[in-house]
Amino acid sequence: KVNDGKFIIIDKMSNKTRLISDGIDLDIHELEPSPPKYIIPYRASVFEVQSDSILYFHKNEMQVTRLLNISLATDDSLLKCQRLIVCITKPEDEFFRIKEYQCDLPYVDITNFTLNGINGDLLLEKKYLYAEEAKATKFYLRTTRDKNYPYRPGKITPMPQDQILGIESPFYLKKVSVENGKIDYFEIPSNGNPAGNLWIDRIKILAENITNDSSLLAVNDTLRITMEGYIYSQGLIQVFADMPILDPQKRHYVYCKIGVFDPSNLNRITINCAQMRIQKGTIRSGE
């Protein structure tokens, strides 16, 4: 048993700290040697681990992930995290100056994140994350783009299929559900005007069959996503997407519906970023 412990990981190549975990409480029962294939030499039939915080420093040296009040127990195969934050450590103007091309500056804040139905044996034996459901009760994504910079020469943003297949460790999430989400998009125009803003709130997301496991993709390679939210807190928008992960042409299929909406709300972004003002109008529905 360990109370109020601390764990640090240091990168041998750079000699820089990669991970710090504080306030660790660990309770282990029935400890025994692991099978030969396991990465960890010993395993416990029953264990509980809690940590006040985990701070992970990304290799790009501009991004950190912080997890607060984390717990994991084998008796219910449940990981709980009170809050998960991903943010950039550099000031906004410095971030874009370092990048030197048009990209997105992200900030993510997730509340009450849980992973349910974790397969502990797969995680220990093959570093394979298998879980029945990932869930969050609140989600906020803020992303900013600076149009004063060019697009990256010869490069495009990787397609979602490439990003999923590019994750080194194998994983499978049967279902991901998010409630009470908000996406804030800010665009800094190249004309010297202040940033424009587009947001969607009261978001609900359900995604199914998220994996990079080739054996599972051979049976069913389609990631399905449904999303519902409100543009500028007013216009209902529904999105239904099918994404075949193994499609060689990277094709995916999206169908959207929008409800009653006053388009003059778009002035929050069009006036500063497109020099366009919508004086009057009504959208009754759209597809």
Side-chain angles (χ1 to χ4, degrees):
K1 190 168 184 177
V2 175
N3 290 318
D4 199 23
K6 187 169 187 174
F7 181 70
I8 299 175
I9 293 178
I10 297 176
D11 190 325
K12 280 187 177 181
M13 298 294 291
S14 64
N15 201 31
K16 292 184 178 180
T17 302
R18 286 283 173 240
L19 184 143
I20 302 174
S21 180
D22 281 313
I24 300 173
D25 294 334
L26 179 64
D27 196 357
I28 299 176
H29 300 282
E30 302 175 26
L31 189 66
E32 58 186 24
S34 297
K37 294 180 181 179
Y38 276 49
I39 296 167
I40 300 174
Y42 291 91
R43 61 169 292 176
S45 297
V46 179
F47 80 90
E48 295 180 7
V49 60
Q50 295 180 333
S51 177
D52 292 341
S53 69
I54 294 177
L55 187 61
Y56 174 70
F57 301 89
H58 294 244
K59 288 185 178 181
N60 61 23
E61 299 185 1
M62 288 199 295
Q63 198 169 3
V64 295
T65 297
R66 183 186 297 273
L67 299 93
L68 303 175
N69 295 329
I70 313 103
S71 65
L72 174 63
T74 55
D75 58 349
D76 54 8
S77 301
L78 178 66
L79 181 147
K80 294 189 289 185
C81 177
Q82 188 179 69
R83 195 173 178 195
L84 187 156
I85 301 169
V86 182
C87 61
I88 300 297
T89 58
K90 302 289 184 183
E92 184 177 289
D93 57 346
E94 186 178 350
F95 170 84
F96 290 115
R97 191 167 60 248
I98 291 171
K99 288 289 188 178
E100 294 184 332
Y101 60 87
Q102 207 171 112
C103 60
D104 293 311
L105 187 157
Y107 173 82
V108 179
D109 193 339
I110 300 173
T111 304
N112 293 331
F113 173 75
T114 59
L115 270 178
N116 190 24
I118 300 169
N119 188 317
D121 285 335
L122 276 178
L123 189 62
L124 291 174
E125 182 181 350
K126 298 180 179 179
K127 291 195 292 186
Y128 187 131
L129 176 60
Y130 179 102
E132 290 292 319
E133 182 178 15
K135 190 174 183 179
T137 60
K138 192 174 182 180
F139 169 85
Y140 177 68
L141 167 64
R142 176 189 172 118
T143 180
T144 304
R145 178 162 288 225
D146 192 340
K147 291 287 186 174
N148 287 284
Y149 293 87
Y151 286 103
R152 190 172 183 176
K155 296 284 186 178
I156 61 170
T157 302
M159 297 296 284
Q161 296 97 319
D162 294 322
Q163 295 184 43
I164 291 172
L165 293 173
I167 297 173
E168 293 181 6
S169 298
F171 74 97
Y172 171 74
L173 296 174
K174 186 175 182 180
K175 182 167 71 170
V176 174
S177 58
V178 176
E179 298 177 2
N180 194 22
K182 182 178 181 180
I183 298 174
D184 249 336
Y185 172 71
F186 290 86
E187 184 174 298
I188 303 170
S190 59
N191 56 21
N193 286 341
N197 178 216
L198 171 68
W199 78 75
I200 302 174
D201 62 4
R202 286 182 281 168
I203 293 173
K204 295 180 181 179
I205 299 175
L206 176 64
E208 297 178 291
N209 193 40
I210 309 173
T211 183
N212 61 354
D213 185 333
S214 58
S215 62
L216 294 176
L217 290 172
V219 178
N220 178 15
D221 75 336
T222 301
L223 162 62
R224 287 190 168 87
I225 302 171
T226 60
M227 187 192 88
E228 180 179 292
Y230 291 82
I231 300 177
Y232 292 119
S233 308
Q234 186 195 80
L236 174 65
I237 182 169
Q238 296 171 303
V239 181
F240 308 90
D242 281 358
M243 187 179 301
I245 301 298
L246 299 181
D247 190 312
Q249 301 299 320
K250 315 297 181 188
R251 290 172 292 194
H252 48 280
Y253 309 90
V254 182
Y255 171 66
C256 302
K257 295 195 297 184
I258 187 170
V260 177
F261 180 63
D262 181 353
S264 66
N265 283 285
L266 293 169
N267 287 330
R268 292 181 172 95
I269 192 168
T270 60
I271 290 175
N272 287 351
C273 299
Q275 293 79 60
M276 182 179 74
R277 180 189 296 273
I278 299 169
Q279 205 66 26
K280 187 179 179 182
T282 302
I283 295 174
R284 293 184 175 86
S285 64
E287 293 184 64

